Amino acid sequence: DFALVPTDLHSAEEASGLRAARRGEDSEKYLLEQVASVLERDGGMRDVQVVETRSKAPSLVKCVDQKSGMHCDVVMRHGSGGAIASIDKAALLHAFGDASQYFRPLVLLVKHWAKARQLVDATAGKLNSFSWTLMVTFYMQVNGLLPVLDCSPHGLRGRRHELASQESTVSGNDAKGLTSLLHGFFTYWRQFEYHLSCASVRSGCCCKMSATCIEVGDTPHAFVLEDPVEPDENTARTLSDRHLEEVRAELNRAHLLMQRGDLCDGMFRVPCSKKLKELKAFYLPERMVIPTTIGNNDTLQHSISEAVLPDEIK
């Protein structure tokens, strides 16, 4: 993800700063189209497209690097909800990465799995990539593997200005421990009470909707995942009820495959054209008979090994 920002971060932090210099949304679209043109002509990018949003989230340019195949997003709106928020999120994830050697590799594994299984597409009623990253973060927090960081304006601002000079201080990881964490991720989220709980990385625990700044409206969200940088935003707001059941089925499928020792071929396989038929055996009832929390005296591995599946899933 890339954010085009001025060298003067202080002016960009003001919602009325650079945004006031624009002549409405048409000007932002024009600038993005110019960036897209340059990226396609001279930047070595392919599949370049301008994606306009109708929400608080900024419009962006999506493209793919021709040499590496890396997918890139470019935003250039400043102030609230724009590039500065993107920088704050990057700084926050950088801090989490420094707090645990498992965070970055686990995020990469989960996102690779989610993309392979076609679960990342906010425009199609599914989750966006950032939501999967937050799900990894929250899962590690509730299991005592990541701290709760200061997400106040003061904390965000301080982390933002330190980001440019920071370097990672944690390297290396234990493959066996990472495998257990990946299994635990699937186990935790397949039984999560999506319609009843709000996952908050800001607080590191589940909370009631009334304790957040998120406005649900007339139609309740299928899953509420609080944005730690913009707490009035639900990053999972695009997830539909139908696709929530698909996500839970995929989580259950991955859990069972890992339980059987299939860590690669089956779990990361791209689904066939008849995906719903393939997932039929893995769809879950609304309630699981797996403990929803991990007690202080229980280890993560113990909770995984003691998880009980409903009869219809065995």
Side-chain angles (χ1 to χ4, degrees):
D1 291 345
F2 296 92
L4 302 183
V5 299
T7 54
D8 183 3
L9 278 177
H10 293 289
S11 66
E13 289 166 4
E14 298 298 327
S16 60
L18 292 181
R19 187 177 298 184
R22 300 193 279 108
R23 293 189 299 275
E25 297 299 325
D26 290 341
S27 178
E28 181 178 286
K29 180 182 178 182
Y30 172 77
L31 290 172
L32 286 172
E33 288 174 345
Q34 295 301 302
V35 171
S37 177
V38 172
L39 288 173
E40 189 169 32
R41 185 182 66 246
D42 304 319
M45 295 292 182
R46 59 177 174 83
D47 300 335
V48 182
Q49 59 176 322
V50 175
V51 179
E52 294 184 84
T53 62
R54 296 288 184 266
S55 64
K56 182 180 177 182
S59 297
L60 51 87
V61 176
K62 299 184 74 70
C63 52
V64 180
D65 181 65
Q66 293 180 358
K67 292 184 178 180
S68 66
M70 181 179 295
H71 291 250
C72 305
D73 291 349
V74 181
V75 299
M76 58 190 304
R77 180 187 297 177
H78 301 283
S80 177
I84 290 301
S86 299
I87 293 174
D88 286 338
K89 292 171 186 178
L92 186 65
L93 297 182
H94 191 283
F96 281 129
D98 284 345
S100 171
Q101 63 177 334
Y102 295 111
F103 178 70
R104 291 188 183 94
L106 186 58
V107 167
L108 290 175
L109 275 174
V110 168
K111 291 172 74 170
H112 175 65
W113 165 81
K115 290 178 179 178
R117 297 301 298 174
Q118 301 174 356
L119 298 175
V120 184
D121 189 353
T123 62
K126 301 181 182 182
L127 291 170
N128 56 40
S129 180
F130 184 55
S131 291
W132 286 106
T133 300
L134 289 183
M135 288 171 69
V136 172
T137 307
F138 184 75
Y139 156 70
M140 293 185 69
Q141 282 181 325
V142 297
N143 287 292
L145 302 174
L146 279 180
V148 176
L149 299 180
D150 181 8
C151 291
S152 67
H154 174 74
L156 292 173
R157 189 177 302 110
R159 204 175 291 116
R160 178 191 315 150
H161 290 277
E162 293 174 358
L163 179 62
S165 60
Q166 284 182 342
E167 294 183 1
S168 279
T169 57
V170 179
S171 60
N173 59 75
D174 172 32
K176 184 177 179 181
L178 187 59
T179 300
S180 296
L181 283 174
L182 182 62
H183 191 185
F185 174 87
F186 295 134
T187 303
Y188 179 83
W189 284 109
R190 72 174 184 149
Q191 52 78 34
F192 187 81
E193 295 182 326
Y194 291 90
H195 289 286
L196 301 178
S197 302
C198 168
S200 172
V201 170
R202 289 174 65 90
S203 60
C205 63
C206 293
C207 60
K208 295 182 179 179
M209 280 298 301
S210 57
T212 72
C213 302
I214 299 171
E215 295 183 7
V216 177
D218 296 332
T219 305
H221 294 157
F223 176 30
V224 178
L225 183 59
E226 184 185 43
D227 189 321
V229 173
E230 301 174 278
D232 60 336
E233 286 290 313
N234 172 19
T235 70
R237 62 186 177 276
T238 56
L239 185 65
S240 66
D241 286 305
R242 179 170 66 87
H243 284 116
L244 171 59
E245 295 311 309
E246 177 189 353
V247 167
R248 294 180 71 231
E250 286 284 8
L251 291 165
N252 186 46
R253 173 183 177 275
H255 163 82
L256 292 175
L257 287 174
M258 289 197 72
Q259 203 170 52
R260 298 166 187 167
D262 186 348
L263 303 182
C264 295
D265 294 340
M267 195 172 74
F268 292 99
R269 187 181 71 241
V270 177
C272 62
S273 58
K274 298 181 180 179
K275 182 182 180 182
L276 293 180
K277 184 176 181 180
E278 178 188 359
L279 281 180
K280 186 176 181 180
F282 300 103
Y283 274 87
L284 295 168
E286 289 190 9
R287 294 268 180 179
M288 294 288 295
V289 285
I290 302 175
T292 57
T293 57
I294 296 178
N296 293 332
N297 297 325
D298 294 332
T299 64
L300 176 62
Q301 190 61 42
H302 174 74
S303 295
I304 294 172
S305 63
E306 294 300 312
V308 181
L309 287 171
D311 293 336
E312 59 265 44
I313 301 300
K314 292 180 180 179

